[in-house]
Every structure is written in C-alpha cells, then in structure tokens.
Amino acid sequence: MRVVIAGGHGQIALRLERLLAAGGHHPVGIIRRPEQAEDLRSAGAEPVVLDLESASPGEVAAVLRGADAAVFAAGAGPGSGTARKDTVDRGAAVLFADAAEAAGVRRFLIVSSMGADSAHPGDETFDAYLRAKGAADDDIRSRAGLDWTVLRPGSLTNDAGTGQVRLEARTGRGPVPRDDVAATLAELLDTPATAGLTLELISGGTPLSVAVKDIAGN
C-alpha cells in the first residue's frame, strides 16, 4: 500500500512509518520543514514538504493521487495557541479530507483525541483543542466519499508498547503508549471492515490484532 500521512514527523507518525516500511508498504509523510526529511527517510518513508496551513486542496490532492490510504496524524502541538488548534487540528484535517476525495482515496484514518467534541465548553487552550478535534471528526464522518475510521487514543505515553490494548466505541479514560497507537493504526489500515467506526483506545488485556478483528464491522 502507498499510505500518505499528514503530520509525517509527529511521534505517532514516525512510528507508523517504520511499521509500514517494515511490512513492505510505501509510507509518504507530509512535513512542514525540509530539515525533517532525513528523519522520515531513516524511518523508511518518502518525505514531501508541504504546509497544510497554506496549501491548496489541489496541491495536497497531487500528493495523495495514487495512494491506497490517507492518515491524518497532524497537530498544532502543545505549545500552540487556540488559533492554530483551529487551523491545524480542524482546518488541515478538513483540507486533507477534501484532497483525499478529490484524489479518489477512499480509505481515511484520523488520529483524534479522547473527549473530542465540537460543543466542548471552556475557554482554555485544551478546550479549544477538543472542540477543533471534535469538529474535524464530525466533518470526516459526514463524508460518503470516504471509508473513514476515527481513532481516539487515551493519554499518550512514551512507554514501550505492550501490544495489549482495549479498543472499543467507549473505553473510559486511561493511558496508551504511542507505540501501540501506531501499531493499531497499521492494523486498522489492514482491516477495511473498521470503516465507519469511531474507536477509543487505551492499554488493556487483548492482543492488538485480536482487538481490531473483534471490533471490525461493529
């Protein structure tokens, strides 16, 4: 599979790129800064420099054309303000979905956040983040032209992955290593019957591949 990943230099994206490359796939990572390109090459991915805050739908569609799947794993990051939560976490996700549809790429995964809700109250930056992620999810889920899956991980950690997870429509809050989030994304890409599902992910007691197969088509 040729898989185009928005936010290609992110911590989850780099892990996913390594997994895909090791599995014989062709990951393509969209990055904002040219100096990030070597990290992607080291992960086995093809880097494409493109700023999703300023790119046109046509420019993004050109990168996606011919891909088998698209993964939105971009984010404004913890140091950004409320404005960039909207332009990246919502706006760039919508742009990426527009471009996927234009390029004829149906399979679409988005890395969201537990608690994402377009109507989430509050004036803090994290509140704006949850609203932006929720609005992006709502937009993606409204698209008949995409075979979408929304993945909402719990609290992200840099602990080594265990391969044991809980993956359900509602899990309740809990931590999950970024390793296991990336591995779950890779498994979801290989399981098209998970299209149309919004899933929460935390650490648990079920082998990851079993958890994905169990939820597929539900």
Side-chain angles (χ1 to χ4, degrees):
M1 288 190 296
R2 181 175 186 265
V3 181
V4 179
I5 303 167
H9 195 259
Q11 295 187 65
I12 291 172
L14 284 168
R15 288 166 165 85
L16 176 59
E17 288 155 5
R18 292 186 192 100
L19 290 172
L20 292 174
H25 301 296
H26 179 196
V28 178
I30 296 176
I31 53 178
R32 283 195 308 126
R33 298 198 293 274
E35 60 267 26
Q36 297 171 333
E38 191 52 44
D39 289 339
L40 270 71
R41 294 190 188 98
S42 296
E46 174 192 342
V48 173
V49 180
L50 189 64
D51 188 344
L52 293 178
E53 288 182 90
S54 59
S56 69
E59 289 173 320
V60 184
V63 179
L64 282 159
R65 200 157 287 119
D68 299 288
V71 179
F72 186 83
S80 59
T82 57
R84 292 199 69 229
K85 302 304 183 193
D86 185 68
T87 57
V88 179
D89 293 287
R90 184 202 59 78
V94 171
L95 170 67
F96 199 55
D98 286 342
E101 287 190 319
V105 180
R106 290 199 60 93
R107 190 68 175 116
F108 192 98
L109 273 58
I110 181 168
V111 182
S112 184
S113 174
M114 196 170 290
D117 181 353
S118 59
H120 180 84
D123 300 322
E124 301 298 323
T125 301
F126 190 67
D127 299 322
Y129 167 76
L130 291 177
R131 284 193 295 273
K133 296 299 281 187
D137 293 352
D138 291 346
D139 180 272
I140 301 310
R141 292 184 296 194
S142 73
R143 294 175 184 254
L146 297 178
D147 296 328
W148 53 264
T149 303
V150 176
L151 184 64
R152 293 178 166 178
S155 301
L156 299 172
T157 76
N158 286 324
D159 297 337
T162 66
Q164 301 281 322
V165 300
R166 185 177 172 192
L167 180 70
E168 300 170 13
R170 295 284 185 274
T171 62
R173 295 192 176 274
V176 61
R178 288 178 171 87
D179 286 351
D180 288 335
V181 177
T184 299
L185 289 167
E187 195 73 28
L188 290 170
L189 284 168
D190 275 337
T191 313
T194 56
L197 299 179
T198 299
L199 302 170
E200 295 184 350
L201 176 71
I202 59 174
S203 292
T206 304
L208 194 151
S209 60
V210 174
V212 172
K213 286 182 176 62
D214 283 349
I215 200 71
N218 292 333

